[in-house]
Amino acid sequence: MSTPSHPASSLPPLTGPTVGALVHAGEQLLLASGVGFGHGTTNARDEAAWLVLWRLGLPLDSPLDDGPESIANQPVAPAQQALTATLFEERIRTRKPAAYLTREAWLQGVSFYVDERAIVPRSFIAELIVDGGFDDFLGEHTQQVLDLCTGNGSLAVLAAMAWPEIHIDAADISEDALAVARINVDRHGLQDRIRLMHSDGLAACPGPYDLILCNPPYVNAQSMAQLPPEYRAEPTLALAGGSDGMDFIRRLLREAPAVMSEDAVLVLEIGNERAHFEAAFPQLPVFWLDTSAGCDQVLLIERAALSRFFPS
């Protein structure tokens, strides 16, 4: 996680006569400014390409290599260079994630609208949905799904795309986030299959659900205090999980069996908090799911296990 090394005003202006040159200059500018990444990109090169291509109205998957289809040598007029420079200046000055500036985030190849009312989508549950990472726990009985802490609705949309036969309740405590989720549900034409619900945890979620997906607030207090500005630009409500990151999760696991069907499972993302999770629930049997970040970011719990651990 980076910290700024130079204010935007002290950095050289962004210029470049071609797309490739502009991307390279943007990469160097981002590196010199010390901005943080993690909201769709993990490095300065990818973020510079994203910002340049978006500002120039070019497809974000445009090739920038040395191949015959590359647009790296495509000329960029001075006026377009100036517009691109303004975008980079805003990124460095505000330290907002690029997704908030472009009003777009991509998850598993699907475009989603996002703004400051909702967290930038980046859940590892998304790749598990698309890759079938927990399909062995599902079946014909899997019909009713809950996406809890839905944020901008991206997991609900991806689930609806992956499993055309299911219906989904997408719930969040934030009315602002639900307004963003509404944009995405409507954009992807899923109004008949995704129901948006305002709910404090499971309080307004009727169930019974055959599958619960949840990417909750789980960042522990010490980590919250050390987050770079890009993360602090997001709603704190979507990140902060209390002293050990488990505040919301304790309540969720205790209440979940009451709204789960007999063979239901809960898929829960906890980020880098495995140690805190295992300290809080040392006897709870769970399945750790493999993701591109390893096998300690997302876990699966069967209702039967939850019912034994949290008897009603």
Side-chain angles (χ1 to χ4, degrees):
M1 295 180 180
S2 304
T3 55
S5 55
H6 297 286
S9 58
S10 69
L11 295 169
L14 179 72
T15 60
T18 65
V19 173
L22 207 55
V23 170
H24 177 72
E27 177 187 7
Q28 298 307 307
L29 196 63
L30 293 176
L31 287 172
S33 68
V35 299
F37 308 106
H39 294 85
T41 66
T42 60
N43 58 79
R45 166 71 181 184
D46 289 347
E47 184 130 336
W50 178 10
L51 293 172
V52 168
L53 293 171
W54 180 82
R55 182 72 281 173
L56 298 180
L58 297 168
L60 297 185
D61 58 356
S62 298
L64 294 168
D65 54 18
D66 296 327
E69 303 300 322
S70 174
I71 65 166
N73 292 323
Q74 179 174 311
V76 180
Q80 292 177 304
Q81 293 180 46
L83 284 174
T84 307
T86 298
L87 179 61
F88 275 81
E89 289 166 5
E90 184 178 9
R91 171 71 177 90
I92 294 166
R93 175 178 54 80
T94 67
R95 295 295 299 272
K96 290 182 179 180
Y100 285 160
L101 305 181
T102 65
R103 294 294 192 247
E104 184 176 42
W106 292 78
L107 200 58
Q108 294 298 302
V110 179
S111 171
F112 294 98
Y113 174 85
V114 69
D115 62 32
E116 290 86 345
R117 294 175 292 176
I119 192 173
V120 177
R122 52 186 177 272
S123 175
F124 290 109
I125 295 175
E127 65 184 55
L128 293 167
I129 292 172
V130 172
D131 297 340
F134 50 87
D135 280 3
D136 288 348
F137 293 90
L138 311 181
E140 292 185 359
H141 69 280
T142 309
Q143 298 293 324
Q144 301 297 324
V145 175
L146 171 65
D147 175 24
L148 186 62
C149 306
T150 192
N152 82 330
S154 53
L155 291 184
V157 168
L158 290 174
M161 291 177 171
W163 304 307
E165 70 281 2
I166 68 170
H167 287 82
I168 303 169
D169 284 346
D172 205 289
I173 192 174
S174 168
E175 294 277 18
D176 282 343
L178 288 170
V180 178
R182 169 55 60 196
I183 294 171
N184 286 310
V185 170
D186 291 350
R187 170 185 284 190
H188 293 287
L190 293 167
Q191 302 93 326
D192 294 337
R193 295 181 51 218
I194 298 177
R195 175 174 62 169
L196 297 175
M197 302 174 54
H198 181 243
S199 181
D200 181 357
L202 293 169
C205 301
Y209 298 107
D210 308 308
L211 168 65
I212 298 177
L213 308 171
C214 186
N215 182 20
Y218 56 67
V219 182
N220 70 71
Q222 182 178 358
S223 295
M224 282 295 298
Q226 298 171 351
L227 287 178
E230 283 82 359
Y231 290 85
R232 293 200 294 270
E234 297 182 292
T236 300
L237 189 65
L239 297 173
S243 60
D244 65 350
M246 295 295 114
D247 284 3
F248 182 93
I249 293 169
R250 286 186 178 88
R251 175 185 169 194
L252 168 65
L253 298 189
R254 185 175 63 251
E255 298 176 356
V259 298
M260 298 172 75
S261 61
E262 183 177 357
D263 296 319
V265 294
L266 165 65
V267 176
L268 178 67
E269 183 158 341
I270 60 164
N272 297 315
E273 303 291 348
R274 179 169 179 169
H276 283 135
F277 179 89
E278 291 180 333
F281 312 104
Q283 305 301 319
L284 180 63
V286 305
F287 298 89
W288 293 95
L289 303 177
D290 287 328
T291 73
S292 59
C295 60
D296 57 359
Q297 301 280 317
V298 181
L299 58 95
L300 180 147
I301 316 173
E302 297 175 305
R303 181 190 183 276
L306 280 175
S307 297
R308 290 194 299 270
F309 199 81
F310 298 100
S312 57

